[in-house]
Amino acid sequence: QQQVKQSPQSLIVQKGGISIINCAYENTAFDYFPWYQQFPGKGPALLIAIRPDVSEKKEGRFTISFNKSAKQFSLHIMDSQPGDSATYFCAASLTSGTYKYIFGTGTRLKVLA
Amino acid sequence: NAGVMQNPRHLVRRRGQEARLRCSPMKGHSHVYWYRQLPEEGLKFMVYLQKENIIDESGMPKERFSAEFPKEGPSILRIQQVVRGDSAAYFCASSPQPNSPLHFGNGTRLTVT
């Protein structure tokens, strides 16, 4: 199965709060899981990525948690800011294949000031 | 170092016309991917090309759509005899090698009237 399921579809968080976005996949061969941030009218920009040999990766306020047995991974945005308001996409790929990304359907995040 | 350049940013075509979308990858990148994004949806893989070769076109409709990445010049996504359902944002991404993160352009928004 090539699907990546993403939830929630939309999310509203108060400034300073924690934003959590979840993704699930079925293909156990996937071995690279990036998150992208997209602002209106722009292309997706790589935010952070993880490989399945680690359970967590942190970069600044952004953390990926990875649960290999459950085939799930999530993005946590700590101390959310209004400037974080954007659409977030998770993705999965096979680095041994053509490396094409299978994207989730996106989460529209709004951080209230 | 300029990012992935796509042009035009906006393209309006009448039904039955041809649409040509251009993508210049980042300097040093020889791998190009095309994705389509419909409103409120994620990005759908269309085709993966290396210089002068189509590596994976499993996501591209069999009819009316074609892609190329010549030895010199940009990658071209060509849609013949456009229909209203082709209206979408088309994104190009590039990478220096297959096992590297993808860098996206800002897309071409195609509107078919």
Side-chain angles (χ1 to χ4, degrees), chain A residues 9 32 36 38-46 51 89 95 97-106 108, chain B residues 9 33 35 37 40-43 45 48 55-56 58 91 97-107 109:
Chain A
Q9 190 173 10
Y32 182 71
Y36 279 79
Q38 185 179 29
F39 292 105
K42 300 292 187 181
L46 179 65
R51 297 188 188 276
F89 293 96
T95 55
T98 60
Y99 207 61
K100 64 188 180 189
Y101 289 3
I102 307 300
F103 281 90
T105 50
R108 186 174 291 181
Chain B
R9 289 298 312 276
Y33 298 75
Y35 284 81
Q37 185 176 36
E40 308 301 322
E41 292 189 17
L43 296 103
F45 169 78
Y48 163 42
I55 307 301
D56 183 347
S58 59
F91 290 94
Q97 54 198 26
N99 201 20
S100 298
L102 298 187
H103 298 264
F104 282 82
N106 284 329
R109 279 143 188 88

Side-chain angles (χ1 to χ4, degrees), chain B residues 1-83:
Chain B
N1 187 14
V4 177
M5 303 301 292
Q6 291 188 248
N7 64 81
R9 289 298 312 276
H10 300 274
L11 182 61
V12 179
R13 285 288 178 264
R14 291 198 186 97
R15 279 182 298 169
Q17 291 185 320
E18 178 179 288
R20 279 185 179 238
L21 288 63
R22 288 177 291 278
C23 168
S24 295
M26 289 180 69
K27 187 176 181 180
H29 289 197
S30 59
H31 299 261
V32 165
Y33 298 75
W34 284 93
Y35 284 81
R36 177 163 63 177
Q37 185 176 36
L38 293 169
E40 308 301 322
E41 292 189 17
L43 296 103
K44 302 292 186 187
F45 169 78
M46 298 182 73
V47 62
Y48 163 42
L49 311 102
Q50 293 178 26
K51 284 285 187 180
E52 300 184 277
N53 289 303
I54 297 175
I55 307 301
D56 183 347
E57 55 183 349
S58 59
M60 201 148 72
K62 294 286 185 285
E63 297 180 355
R64 303 188 297 108
F65 286 72
S66 62
E68 62 177 10
F69 188 16
K71 187 177 180 181
E72 301 291 337
S75 175
I76 306 287
L77 179 67
R78 182 182 177 204
I79 311 173
Q80 295 178 290
Q81 299 176 332
V82 296
V83 300

Side-chain angles (χ1 to χ4, degrees), chain A residues 5-21:
Chain A
K5 295 182 180 178
Q6 183 172 348
S7 63
Q9 190 173 10
S10 62
L11 182 60
I12 299 175
V13 173
Q14 293 287 340
K15 180 182 175 182
I18 302 173
S19 304
I20 302 174
I21 304 170

